[in-house]
Amino acid sequence: MATMNDVARLAGVSASTVSYALTGVRPVSEATRERVRVAMDQLGYRPNALARGLASNRTRILALLFPAIERGLGGTALEFVTAAAETAREHGCHLVLWPTGDDEVGETHELVHQGLVDGLVVMEVKLDDPRVDLLRSTATPFTLIGRTARPDGLPYCDIDFELTVRGALDHLSGLGHEHIALLSHSEASLAAGYGPTVRVQKAFEQQTSERGLPALVRHCDESADAGRAVAADLFRTHPEVTALVTMNDDATFGAVAEIVEGGRDVPGEVSVLSVVSSPRVGALSHPRLTTMAAPGAELGRLGVESVITRVEQGDSPVVRELIPCRLDAQATTGPAPGTHAHTPPGTP
Amino acid sequence: MATMNDVARLAGVSASTVSYALTGVRPVSEATRERVRVAMDQLGYRPNALARGLASNRTRILALLFPAIERGLGGTALEFVTAAAETAREHGCHLVLWPTGDDEVGETHELVHQGLVDGLVVMEVKLDDPRVDLLRSTATPFTLIGRTARPDGLPYCDIDFELTVRGALDHLSGLGHEHIALLSHSEASLAAGYGPTVRVQKAFEQQTSERGLPALVRHCDESADAGRAVAADLFRTHPEVTALVTMNDDATFGAVAEIVEGGRDVPGEVSVLSVVSSPRVGALSHPRLTTMAAPGAELGRLGVESVITRVEQGDSPVVRELIPCRLDAQATTGPAPGTHAHTPPGTP
DNA sequence: TTGTACGCGTTATCAG
DNA sequence: CTGATAACGCGTACAA
């Protein structure tokens, strides 16, 4: 691989001139710039990323931090990661994947102090996340995907769960539903302080209360079987329920199957709306699920752009972005039984 | 951040001794090793990855190359990427994601010549893949996930499609099926030389022929709707078909829905077996899909381990690994109509 | 507008 | 067993 010196020699200039011709940090005459350019692609020269990083103290490498344990977001996570990587590329940056095991804090610390990365995107942030405390104490810029319980001055990109729940309830209320239950993630995820679980439940309880509706919440493991079981129990104890808001893709499929087999028509007697999901997943269900799509790609893009901005100018304002899920009305939501729906359902 | 010189000074030794105490490349007395150790964690010293890479000409960074365009493997891809990243970590390596756009070759070339990575894992390899030609001409080790048409001396990890198809046909034949159709990916993917599409079709045609069965192949876009349409057409023109081997998750769901709505019982009248899929996806269907699970995690792990081996000892033998999909017999496959199944179905 | 010289934090070579 | 010293490839004051 050709080095800068090789280029300099061939072009008959000094190495620093090559450097300046490359970065444009100081003026270079058109003539020599051209000679350098010719020499460069004659040698197929590419600047060495390592040497550049060492000298400039800027690696243009970002890290994506995520706990490798759980099967969290599923399909959304892939979109997220892909979008993040693409965005990094567009900005001339690299993105390294950094899965953390049991010792989240230690492994994060290790990464930061290797001096390899300019900034971090932190996935799967919990309400009380020890990684955040660590990162605050370092100089490395970072952006959270998700939020801690009180994300004071922290930069984050997250789903707007309040607006998402509002959208879901608006849709169902508009269809005349008054007995709406929430099928959420597992108790364990709630106990672990998993943001989506906590925030959706809180928003659901608050907003149903505001609307004078009863708040029925069920937790459920992430599997179709668990979904079946919980749905069966739910409709046995609460036959008055006519609509289900779910946030648990696997369980949703089980729940729908159970409801239908239990002799209730979907959406004739029970409507199902799956939030923090995606139309693509919804299309796998029959009848096709009404979903609210998680903004995975948007979050990935925003998260990376936000750290890059902070890396390039450390005094830039902190990004705090909340994006709601997007409604995609399909076949599992319809008018409540015995209701003349007065609000046109569905997305434009 | 403390440097090696800081450590050396504090420990009262030379910088090179610190280096050797760290790497163990040359013997260091127990006494000084201990002094160095103390100095190190007194200063919280961590070796600088960049400087180390520059000096040693070994970055311990691997790249994962993938075309960002298509929504290829879906859930499997996430498993793959996660496993790859974890494996890299276990070996003290970093994994950077390198999504390529339109100019696959150019962007790959760029990456390789930045001197940032020690080796590459190349995803989504096509039968005739220009990236491979490029990589052969460089000194950077790489491993393909997938294979070219004639992967002569190339290192690769791929699904064993022949064994997978054999497993599928064995399962169905054992249930008495004699009219088996293949629901594959789109024509476009076939034309693009997408390995799984081409190889599964070839294996299917060959093996059905060997068994004296008719070979019925249908291509289908990656969507539930397309699956419906193709299934409808298939059973209209070929009502004798009693079993469907599918390799197209989204389409499979549509196909099952169409079959059931068309008045055919699954698996009573038609069996469906989805290959290169996963039990998790299968569980979303009702009745639960019999699947053959793509070995995503295994491939990710093997791919990374294989490049690392090549990086560490360039003369190591070329890895050529083929892994079949694993059968998970569930509710969508059963005895052919009018048959007394004589072979016990299901996985061991 | 250009060249020189030094530093970034390690590893590797060569003495001792 | 240990210490100097020279690379590694590039950025950047400083000087011209």
Side-chain angles (χ1 to χ4, degrees):
Chain A
M1 284 190 285
T3 81
M4 200 167 223
N5 272 313
D6 299 331
V7 176
R9 208 166 324 157
L10 184 58
V13 299
S14 79
S16 61
T17 298
V18 175
S19 176
Y20 291 121
L22 208 56
T23 63
V25 170
R26 93 180 177 189
V28 173
S29 80
E30 186 51 47
T32 64
R33 181 199 304 289
E34 183 57 18
R35 292 226 310 288
V36 169
R37 209 189 52 66
V38 170
M40 288 208 299
D41 48 41
Q42 185 169 334
L43 294 172
Y45 169 77
R46 303 266 80 193
N48 181 300
L50 254 51
R52 174 174 282 197
L54 225 206
S56 67
N57 209 5
R58 184 139 296 175
T59 64
R60 302 202 74 82
I61 301 178
L62 272 29
L64 193 57
L65 228 65
F66 65 101
I69 333 155
E70 29 198 342
R71 303 260 141 259
L73 303 168
T76 303
L78 188 62
E79 275 181 44
F80 177 92
V81 171
T82 303
E86 282 175 13
T87 307
R89 279 286 323 268
E90 290 166 14
H91 290 264
C93 290
H94 297 264
L95 187 70
V96 325
L97 248 41
W98 195 250
T100 54
D102 298 326
D103 181 19
E104 287 187 345
V105 176
E107 294 172 17
T108 303
H109 185 273
E110 186 190 338
L111 173 64
V112 169
H113 287 80
Q114 282 192 336
L116 184 68
V117 301
D118 283 344
L120 314 175
V121 175
V122 186
M123 289 180 71
E124 302 278 321
V125 174
K126 296 194 299 276
L127 289 185
D128 181 17
D129 201 310
R131 296 174 296 174
V132 175
D133 301 323
L134 167 66
L135 291 174
R136 298 183 91 141
S137 70
T138 74
T140 311
F142 63 94
T143 290
L144 309 180
I145 304 302
R147 289 163 282 167
T148 54
R150 292 183 48 249
D152 303 336
L154 298 175
Y156 61 76
C157 302
D158 197 1
I159 295 173
D160 190 326
F161 294 105
E162 295 198 359
L163 269 187
T164 299
V165 169
R166 187 172 311 284
L169 292 182
D170 282 350
H171 180 63
L172 294 173
S173 292
L175 290 165
H177 293 276
E178 294 179 342
H179 295 275
I180 306 172
L182 173 67
L183 181 66
S184 179
H185 281 294
S186 63
E187 293 276 5
S189 80
L190 185 70
Y194 183 56
T197 307
V198 175
R199 293 199 165 91
V200 162
Q201 175 164 352
K202 188 179 161 201
F204 181 81
E205 287 170 343
Q206 186 170 324
Q207 293 180 29
T208 46
S209 153
E210 286 168 11
R211 295 166 192 236
L213 305 177
L216 208 51
V217 178
R218 284 286 189 279
H219 293 277
C220 182
D221 286 349
E222 285 75 18
S223 78
D225 286 336
R228 290 193 91 98
V230 171
D233 180 72
L234 174 65
F235 284 97
R236 188 159 36 70
T237 57
H238 293 272
E240 75 279 12
V241 168
T242 64
L244 209 53
V245 173
T246 66
M247 180 176 61
N248 187 329
D249 273 348
D250 298 72
T252 300
F253 281 79
V256 170
E258 179 67 28
I259 293 169
V260 170
E261 281 178 35
R264 297 173 200 256
D265 185 59
V266 174
E269 298 171 74
V270 177
S271 286
V272 178
L273 168 51
S274 179
V275 303
V276 194
S277 180
S278 76
R280 189 176 181 231
V281 168
L284 300 184
S285 161
H286 182 73
R288 188 167 299 203
L289 278 171
T290 292
T291 58
M292 292 186 74
E298 290 92 323
L299 290 178
R301 170 163 298 279
L302 278 171
V304 166
E305 279 173 350
S306 147
V307 270
I308 290 181
T309 303
R310 298 279 294 183
V311 167
E312 289 177 347
Q313 37 175 318
D315 57 340
S316 60
V318 165
V319 168
R320 305 159 138 256
E321 197 87 45
L322 291 181
I323 308 175
C325 295
R326 214 174 37 256
L327 178 67
D328 176 59
Q330 292 290 346
T332 57
T333 48
T339 303
H340 309 288
H342 46 290
T343 301
T347 40
Chain B
M1 284 190 286
T3 82
M4 196 167 234
N5 272 312
D6 299 333
V7 176
R9 207 165 324 155
L10 184 59
V13 297
S14 78
S16 54
T17 297
V18 175
S19 176
Y20 291 121
L22 208 54
T23 64
V25 169
R26 92 181 179 188
V28 173
S29 79
E30 186 52 45
T32 65
R33 180 199 306 289
E34 182 57 17
R35 292 226 310 289
V36 169
R37 210 190 51 68
V38 169
M40 288 209 298
D41 47 43
Q42 185 169 334
L43 294 173
Y45 168 77
R46 302 267 78 195
N48 181 299
L50 252 51
R52 175 173 284 195
L54 224 209
S56 68
N57 210 8
R58 184 137 296 176
T59 64
R60 303 201 74 81
I61 300 178
L62 271 30
L64 193 57
L65 229 63
F66 66 102
I69 332 156
E70 28 197 343
R71 302 260 141 261
L73 304 168
T76 303
L78 189 61
E79 274 181 44
F80 178 92
V81 172
T82 303
E86 282 175 12
T87 307
R89 280 285 324 267
E90 290 166 13
H91 290 263
C93 290
H94 298 263
L95 188 69
V96 326
L97 246 41
W98 195 249
T100 54
D102 299 325
D103 181 20
E104 287 186 347
V105 176
E107 295 171 16
T108 303
H109 185 272
E110 186 189 338
L111 173 64
V112 169
H113 287 81
Q114 283 192 334
L116 183 69
V117 301
D118 283 345
L120 314 176
V121 175
V122 186
M123 289 180 71
E124 302 279 322
V125 175
K126 296 193 299 279
L127 289 185
D128 181 17
D129 202 310
R131 296 174 296 175
V132 174
D133 301 323
L134 168 65
L135 291 174
R136 297 183 93 141
S137 71
T138 74
T140 312
F142 63 94
T143 290
L144 309 180
I145 305 302
R147 289 162 282 166
T148 54
R150 292 184 46 250
D152 302 336
L154 299 175
Y156 61 76
C157 302
D158 198 0
I159 295 174
D160 190 326
F161 295 104
E162 295 199 358
L163 269 188
T164 299
V165 168
R166 186 171 313 284
L169 292 181
D170 281 350
H171 180 63
L172 293 172
S173 292
L175 290 164
H177 293 275
E178 294 180 343
H179 295 275
I180 305 173
L182 173 66
L183 180 66
S184 181
H185 282 294
S186 64
E187 294 276 6
S189 81
L190 185 69
Y194 183 57
T197 307
V198 174
R199 292 200 164 91
V200 162
Q201 176 164 350
K202 187 179 161 200
F204 181 80
E205 287 170 343
Q206 186 170 324
Q207 292 181 29
T208 46
S209 152
E210 285 169 12
R211 296 165 192 238
L213 305 176
L216 207 50
V217 178
R218 284 285 189 280
H219 293 278
C220 183
D221 286 350
E222 285 75 17
S223 78
D225 285 336
R228 289 194 93 97
V230 171
D233 179 72
L234 174 66
F235 285 96
R236 188 160 35 73
T237 58
H238 292 273
E240 76 278 13
V241 168
T242 64
L244 208 53
V245 173
T246 67
M247 180 176 61
N248 186 329
D249 273 349
D250 298 72
T252 300
F253 281 79
V256 170
E258 179 68 28
I259 293 169
V260 170
E261 281 178 35
R264 298 174 198 255
D265 185 59
V266 174
E269 297 172 74
V270 177
S271 285
V272 178
L273 168 51
S274 180
V275 303
V276 195
S277 180
S278 75
R280 190 176 181 231
V281 168
L284 300 184
S285 161
H286 181 72
R288 188 167 298 206
L289 277 170
T290 291
T291 58
M292 291 187 73
E298 291 91 324
L299 290 178
R301 170 163 298 280
L302 278 171
V304 166
E305 278 173 350
S306 147
V307 271
I308 289 180
T309 303
R310 296 281 293 185
V311 168
E312 290 177 346
Q313 37 175 319
D315 57 339
S316 59
V318 164
V319 168
R320 305 160 137 254
E321 197 87 47
L322 291 180
I323 309 175
C325 296
R326 216 174 34 256
L327 178 67
D328 175 59
Q330 292 290 345
T332 58
T333 49
T339 303
H340 309 287
H342 45 289
T343 301
T347 41

